[in-house]
Amino acid sequence: MNKRMYLIAACLLPILLSAQTDEPQLWGKCTLDDLQKAPYSEWYTANYAGYEPNPAIVRQLKNFDLKDYSATVYMGTWCGDSRREVPRFIKIWDAAGFPQQGITVIAVSAEDSVYKQSVTREERGKHIYRVPVFVISKKGSEVNRIVEIPVATLERDLLAILNNRYTPNYESYIYLSRWFDEGVLNDKNISHRGLARHIKHLTQSVGELNGYGYVLSKSGGEGLEAAINVFKINAYLYPEAWQPLMSLAEALYDKGDGEQALKTIQKAIGLNRDVRNVKSLLELEDKIKTLITTVSY
């Protein structure tokens, strides 16, 4: 599997060695004790100790019946946002008096073929497209989630969730996830322009839907076709951007549709205005041409 190596720790927790950095990554369900062991303790301990939760907000959190609440944390030990926000979240959880056994931590991979996936796929069907994600549940049912970074602060966001007054970051993902679950993103009659108009006011940048689509494309099953439609929606949202078209071309290549992939990557090359992107665009074009040549024989 390329340069990847899989090891089993003494606690039977899989560790993934990054093909890019050779740094160990936790992979799968883990414990807070795992995060407090080297090499993860270097950033976990510093960010836990260095964060001071707002005492007034913590007092308000304590007013709730906290035993009913649990949190599932999806994170990447390779991810800067996860390294910063997860220890802070745990400190707030501890300070407020939430049950520590109510915390479940799932570490996902940064490796391309299993991107943002757990070794035993706990993230499947949970719509994890950015990390970290803090899924807050009450009596086992999801109430809301904090996505990637807090809207205000972690403790204020958590309080807003408990008060049922919270909208997470990446609001467009709420619609995309619903459309995926309902089969809209796999409908052959999908209106890409119509759906783009529907979420235009919720989308902050070209990378927002591109990131969503990329994770979908690696998820298997119906994910690839859904990802193709997400990239097409993004192309309507950002008609002058090359990024959605490059992502679309790559997904079409993965599907085996070389002719459409070639037309799409050539359009992306025409839209690109930055010489720094030329190499990756041309490399994908060559890869697609090789696919077409191979299929034609």
Side-chain angles (χ1 to χ4, degrees), residues 35 43-44 47-48 51 73-76 79-93 131-134 146-155 157 169:
L35 295 176
W43 47 264
Y44 183 91
N47 285 314
Y48 185 99
Y51 192 70
V73 181
Y74 297 89
M75 65 171 296
C79 165
D81 289 329
S82 293
R83 292 181 175 192
R84 181 185 63 252
E85 304 296 347
V86 171
R88 292 177 174 183
F89 180 86
I90 300 302
K91 187 162 187 178
I92 295 163
W93 192 267
V131 288
V133 175
F134 305 94
I146 301 170
V147 181
E148 193 175 51
I149 59 174
V151 172
T153 68
L154 282 171
E155 55 267 46
D157 284 21
N169 293 311

Side-chain angles (χ1 to χ4, degrees), residues 217-256:
S217 71
K218 303 300 179 182
S219 65
E222 297 180 330
L224 180 58
E225 193 64 41
I228 288 171
N229 285 320
V230 169
F231 295 138
K232 288 179 178 180
I233 292 169
N234 207 23
Y236 273 107
L237 288 170
Y238 298 93
E240 301 303 317
W242 59 271
Q243 296 95 325
L245 294 176
M246 182 177 180
S247 297
L248 175 58
E250 187 170 9
L252 290 168
Y253 169 86
D254 290 342
K255 184 182 177 183

Side-chain angles (χ1 to χ4, degrees), residues 262-273:
L262 184 59
K263 291 178 183 178
T264 304
I265 194 61
Q266 289 175 343
K267 186 176 180 181
I269 291 169
L271 288 173
N272 174 55
R273 298 292 181 268

Side-chain angles (χ1 to χ4, degrees), residues 2 4 6 25 77 85 107 124 129 160 197 286:
N2 299 327
R4 278 185 293 278
Y6 298 96
Q25 304 171 15
T77 56
E85 304 296 347
R124 190 193 295 272
Y129 300 101
R197 287 177 176 173
D286 287 343

Side-chain angles (χ1 to χ4, degrees), residues 14-185:
I15 296 176
L16 179 66
L17 292 186
S18 169
Q20 288 75 37
T21 65
D22 286 335
E23 294 180 356
Q25 304 171 15
L26 291 180
W27 194 29
K29 189 172 182 179
C30 54
T31 68
L32 298 183
D33 286 342
D34 294 318
L35 295 176
Q36 295 174 60
K37 297 173 183 175
Y40 320 107
S41 56
E42 182 176 346
W43 47 264
Y44 183 91
T45 302
N47 285 314
Y48 185 99
Y51 192 70
E52 298 181 6
N54 185 316
I57 305 300
V58 170
R59 283 195 295 272
Q60 293 181 63
L61 289 170
K62 289 181 176 180
N63 291 329
F64 290 84
D65 190 358
L66 301 182
K67 71 178 186 330
D68 290 338
Y69 290 90
S70 60
T72 303
V73 181
Y74 297 89
M75 65 171 296
T77 56
W78 44 269
C79 165
D81 289 329
S82 293
R83 292 181 175 192
R84 181 185 63 252
E85 304 296 347
V86 171
R88 292 177 174 183
F89 180 86
I90 300 302
K91 187 162 187 178
I92 295 163
W93 192 267
D94 291 343
F98 286 92
Q100 196 168 67
Q101 66 272 22
I103 289 277
T104 300
V105 180
I106 308 295
V108 298
S109 174
E111 298 304 300
D112 187 67
S113 63
V114 286
Y115 189 56
K116 290 183 182 168
Q117 295 176 20
S118 166
V119 63
T120 45
R121 300 304 307 273
E122 286 90 349
E123 88 299 332
R124 190 193 295 272
K126 301 298 192 300
H127 301 298
I128 306 301
Y129 300 101
R130 301 273 174 166
V131 288
V133 175
F134 305 94
V135 178
I136 310 302
S137 298
K138 183 177 183 181
K139 296 183 178 179
S141 298
E142 180 175 345
V143 177
N144 213 318
R145 57 179 60 190
I146 301 170
V147 181
E148 193 175 51
I149 59 174
V151 172
T153 68
L154 282 171
E155 55 267 46
R156 289 182 183 276
D157 284 21
L158 187 54
L159 180 62
I161 287 173
L162 268 56
N163 281 316
N164 297 313
R165 296 197 305 263
Y166 187 73
T167 301
N169 293 311
Y170 301 104
E171 197 171 353
S172 65
Y173 287 8
I174 297 173
Y175 287 86
L176 290 167
S177 297
R178 188 180 73 217
W179 293 339
F180 180 77
D181 288 342
E182 293 175 350
V184 175
L185 293 182

